[in-house]
């Protein structure tokens, strides 16, 4: 067997290259894309995809080649559906990270507020915390502060549900920090500017 | 005879910081340390970065180098002790050596990471979700809103990130002191160093002292001190 | 051949399930995670991973199993690197500067560590290097050193993955990377004691 593989079918090598491309791609790849990237003829790409489809098929492999509207992609075999569902379904998370909590607090009390404003108040960039909170649906975009300005964020109804608030007015009081949003904001920004 | 900075094949901008530069110079086997004024190079570097305002963290470094130079300064005042506000030059040399050693390890670790990255340059993997993977859900448990108030109070109570930027402003460039001392020497012929630096911050005093050593080295000034902790008098070297 | 496969080794089925999990996972999966999700013993998971490693290895497959960042993941075969380079950009590792690498080294060995601590070691401000590494996902916030203190950073699993480290213990021992204090001190004193 091993001796035979020395005289390798050249399509085998192309097939391996396409397998590699499919496993790193974040979207399905068309035959045209595969041909361009491998610098091969589309006919040979189609032949290679045929080989791959034989190797990566239900019952034989846990990785299955799928032809979808947008092109070709690997997917999980159907027999593994239950395990895949368990993998994707995350256990309920008990709390938020410090970065998320601080960012969420700023948006909840001062929102709508932009990322640069959040960064100024926290003293560090807020990009990934904001993106994480948007992905979770706890905050959402609320227009721009002016035309062409930075996108601003506010909390969502899901935020109110998760924190058990009937509405925004039920946020815990911060009286000692100044009741008005503007007052609070300028106070926080003053603190952030102050040298250590 | 010391080699002038400009004659050395060194691109000061290529160094990451004062530790990087000093370490490179100190470890440079082919350079005879006797022939190179390392301190002068380091000061030229620090000075250029200070002028550009991008050397935020060099405060401590400057203090350490100044103290180290004080060891050198003993050569100027044989048998006498100068005191840079209690900074013992021996301790400073020890501290600087330890800081350089620590930096050297991390610079080596950075080199290791760079090589590793090159060796792994043909390793490709997918970033992010697979094209046909089920979309993950991330449910969050019920949260207590009091956490939000606590987080905001903490932000209001304390400066979240110490900034070193204000330190930069208090670092005058060496050149300013050189100019000032030169004009004092030109107009008066002599001045009392202590009077000039009396109201300055400690760091300003150190930079002023470095300027003084520089003038002495360039034979523009002569310096005298009656004894340890006594006032330093500076003369115009050509006027005597 | 096909008839023989009807009397399937039960580990084969587990192996296929794990293949399916690996192809949809967006990060390396640990043996514990695989065992939990497949509801199997860790020993059997290890056996199955051995089977998968044999099938998905360099030279045989375009998809390769690797042990990285504390877990297992699929990646592209090295022989397909050229085609992969034409398909995807690598924003994480491209153009890491000396400043970024030094900062990354400090965080990798000392993390969680704050920006002022990094600056102290490197002798220069670390703000932009830290921001760039966070942006690339190689380091992430890890809380503050005390309430209201400086934000601290640690490396992410992506760091280990990008650098191809099975875990942190594969980093070289810091003490073996040089930095003999005595030698440096005597060199420094040479400099210092030389008359001006």
């Amino acid at each position: 067997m091993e001796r035979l593989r020395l005289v390798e079918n050249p399509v085998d090598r192309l097939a391996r290259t396409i397998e590699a491309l499919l496993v790193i791609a974040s979207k399905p790849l068309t035959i045209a894309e595969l041909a361009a990237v491998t610098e091969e003829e589309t006919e040979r790409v189609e032949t290679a995809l045929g080989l791959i489809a034989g190797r990566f098929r239900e019952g034989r492999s846990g990785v299955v080649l799928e032809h979808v509207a947008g092109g070709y992609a690997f997917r999980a075999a159907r027999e593994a559906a239950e395990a895949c569902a368990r993998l994707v379904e995350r256990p309920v998370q008990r709390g938020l990270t410090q970065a998320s909590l601080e960012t969420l607090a700023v948006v909840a009390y001062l929102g709508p507020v932009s990322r640069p404003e959040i960064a100024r108040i926290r003293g560090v960039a807020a990009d990934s915390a904001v993106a994480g909170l948007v992905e979770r649906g706890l905050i959402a975009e609320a227009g721009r502060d002016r035309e062409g300005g930075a996108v601003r964020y506010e909390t969502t109804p899901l935020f109110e549900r998760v924190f058990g608030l009937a509405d925004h007015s039920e946020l815990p009081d911060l009286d000692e920090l100044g009741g008005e949003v503007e007052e609070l904001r300028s106070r926080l920004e003053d603190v952030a500017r102050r040298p250590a | 005879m010391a080699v002038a900075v400009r004659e050395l094949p060194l691109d000061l901008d290529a160094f990451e910081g004062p530790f990087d530069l000093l370490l490179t110079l100190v470890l440079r086997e082919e350079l005879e340390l006797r022939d190179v004024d390392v301190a002068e190079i380091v000061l030229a570097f620090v000075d250029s970065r200070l002028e550009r305002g991008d050397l935020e963290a060099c405060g401590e470094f400057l203090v350490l180098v100044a103290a180290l130079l004080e060891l050198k300064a003993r050569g100027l005042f044989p048998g006498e002790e100068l005191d840079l506000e209690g900074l013992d030059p021996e301790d400073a040399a020890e501290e600087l050596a330890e800081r350089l050693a620590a930096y050297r390890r991390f610079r080596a670790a950075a080199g290791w990471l760079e090589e590793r990255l090159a060796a792994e340059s043909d390793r490709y993997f997918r970033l992010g979700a697979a094209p046909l993977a089920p979309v993950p859900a991330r449910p969050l448990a019920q949260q207590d809103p009091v956490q939000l108030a606590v987080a905001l109070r903490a932000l209001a109570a304390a400066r979240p990130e110490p900034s070193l930027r204000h330190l930069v402003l208090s670092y005058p460039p060496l050149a300013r002191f050189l100019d000032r001392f030169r004009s004092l020497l030109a107009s008066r012929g002599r001045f009392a160093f202590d009077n000039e630096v009396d109201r300055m911050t400690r760091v300003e005093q150190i930079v002023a002292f470095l300027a003084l050593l520089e003038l002495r080295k360039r034979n523009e000034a002569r310096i005298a001190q009656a004894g340890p902790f006594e006032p330093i008098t500076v003369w115009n070297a050509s006027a005597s």
Side-chain angles (χ1 to χ4, degrees), chain A, chain B:
Chain A
M1 280 295 279
E2 282 305 306
R3 302 251 332 251
L4 272 177
R5 298 202 61 215
L6 292 178
V7 204
E8 185 181 53
N9 180 338
V11 178
D12 257 348
R13 164 131 204 195
L14 175 58
R16 290 205 303 275
T17 301
I18 293 174
E19 288 166 16
L21 293 167
L22 292 172
V23 89
I24 66 164
S26 47
K27 62 174 186 54
L29 299 173
T30 64
I31 288 178
E33 283 170 321
L34 288 168
V37 164
T38 56
E39 301 180 336
E40 292 273 2
E41 304 289 325
T42 53
E43 290 74 23
R44 276 173 49 82
V45 169
E46 281 166 5
T47 310
L49 280 168
L51 274 181
I52 298 169
R55 263 180 238 161
F56 293 89
R57 66 166 198 265
E58 295 283 353
R60 178 166 176 183
S61 165
V63 179
V64 172
L65 181 70
E66 178 82 24
H67 185 194
V68 292
Y72 291 84
F74 280 142
R75 65 165 168 82
R78 285 192 197 97
E79 62 176 338
E82 272 185 48
C84 290
R86 281 193 291 269
L87 178 71
V88 166
E89 160 201 313
R90 303 275 167 76
V92 172
Q93 193 182 328
R94 290 187 51 210
L96 292 162
T97 63
Q98 185 65 21
S100 302
L101 192 60
E102 287 177 12
T103 304
L104 194 55
V106 172
V107 177
Y109 281 98
L110 304 183
V113 60
S114 69
R115 279 194 294 199
E117 288 170 319
I118 300 168
R120 268 204 299 283
I121 290 167
R122 292 194 57 227
V124 289
D127 298 19
S128 66
V130 167
L133 291 168
V134 168
E135 193 189 316
R136 286 168 171 284
L138 293 172
I139 66 173
E141 292 190 14
R144 294 177 185 273
D145 54 0
R146 57 180 193 284
E147 197 168 311
V151 172
R152 300 198 296 176
Y153 296 86
E154 63 187 4
T155 54
T156 61
L158 175 64
F159 161 80
E160 287 169 4
R161 271 210 303 286
V162 165
F163 282 82
L165 305 168
D167 61 54
H168 231 73
S169 66
E170 290 194 356
L171 280 170
D173 279 346
L174 288 171
D175 289 339
E176 80 283 8
L177 293 180
E180 298 297 318
V181 166
E182 277 317 310
E183 189 185 339
L184 186 56
R185 181 193 302 250
S186 67
R187 174 166 177 159
L188 283 164
E189 292 193 356
D190 280 351
V191 171
R193 268 195 298 274
R194 196 184 309 148
Chain B
M1 189 63 199
V3 176
V5 178
R6 61 183 178 282
E7 291 166 21
L8 282 173
L10 281 178
D11 175 7
L12 292 185
D13 284 337
F15 291 94
E16 277 303 313
F19 286 139
D20 192 20
L21 173 64
L22 185 56
L23 187 61
T24 302
L25 290 172
V26 165
L27 295 179
R28 215 154 168 166
E29 296 292 340
E30 77 276 18
L31 277 183
E32 272 297 321
L33 283 172
R34 278 185 292 107
D35 300 333
V36 184
D37 192 337
V38 171
E40 184 196 347
I41 296 168
V42 170
L43 281 178
F45 173 78
V46 168
D47 214 26
S48 72
R49 293 291 169 102
L50 286 177
E51 278 170 13
R52 287 185 353 214
D54 65 350
L55 199 62
E56 296 190 10
C58 83
E60 263 187 306
F61 175 82
L62 194 55
V63 172
L64 290 171
V65 168
L68 191 68
L69 287 176
E70 199 192 332
L71 277 181
K72 181 199 286 278
R74 286 174 180 173
L76 292 176
F77 311 103
E80 295 169 12
E81 290 280 322
L82 277 175
D83 185 62
L84 273 172
E85 299 201 2
L87 226 172
D88 177 359
E90 299 284 347
D91 291 347
E94 182 70 32
E95 165 82 10
L96 190 55
E98 273 171 22
R99 298 283 295 280
L100 277 180
Y103 174 71
R104 185 188 191 181
R105 285 191 286 270
F106 286 107
R107 194 171 73 169
W112 186 88
L113 287 175
E114 189 172 25
E115 282 170 24
R116 181 86 187 184
L117 205 55
E120 299 298 301
S121 64
D122 58 356
R123 238 179 86 256
Y124 281 79
F125 55 88
R126 191 186 63 241
L127 277 181
L132 304 178
V135 179
R138 295 170 70 196
L140 184 62
Q142 195 69 31
Q143 300 292 307
D144 182 354
V146 169
Q147 295 177 91
L148 297 168
V150 169
L152 209 66
R153 280 199 190 96
L155 286 175
R159 173 71 182 92
E161 191 80 1
S163 165
L164 297 164
R165 191 162 286 281
H166 62 289
L167 284 178
V168 171
L169 302 174
S170 65
Y171 282 122
L174 197 62
R176 191 204 294 168
F177 288 102
L178 288 174
D179 292 348
R180 174 138 158 237
F181 292 162
R182 279 182 183 131
S183 84
L184 280 174
L185 290 173
S187 60
R188 294 194 226 154
R190 60 180 277 181
F191 66 89
F193 181 73
D194 300 70
N195 292 347
E196 293 305 317
V197 301
D198 200 24
R199 299 218 185 111
M200 292 179 185
T201 65
R202 171 190 165 127
V203 169
E204 285 172 330
Q205 288 180 341
I206 289 167
V207 178
F209 181 69
L210 296 174
L212 193 61
L213 293 180
E214 184 66 21
L215 289 177
R216 160 71 174 71
K217 201 176 65 198
R218 296 184 190 181
N219 286 324
E220 293 179 41
R222 285 184 296 125
I223 302 170
Q225 186 179 33
F229 308 108
E230 292 294 315
I232 298 174
T233 307
V234 187
W235 279 281
N236 186 332
S238 55
S240 59

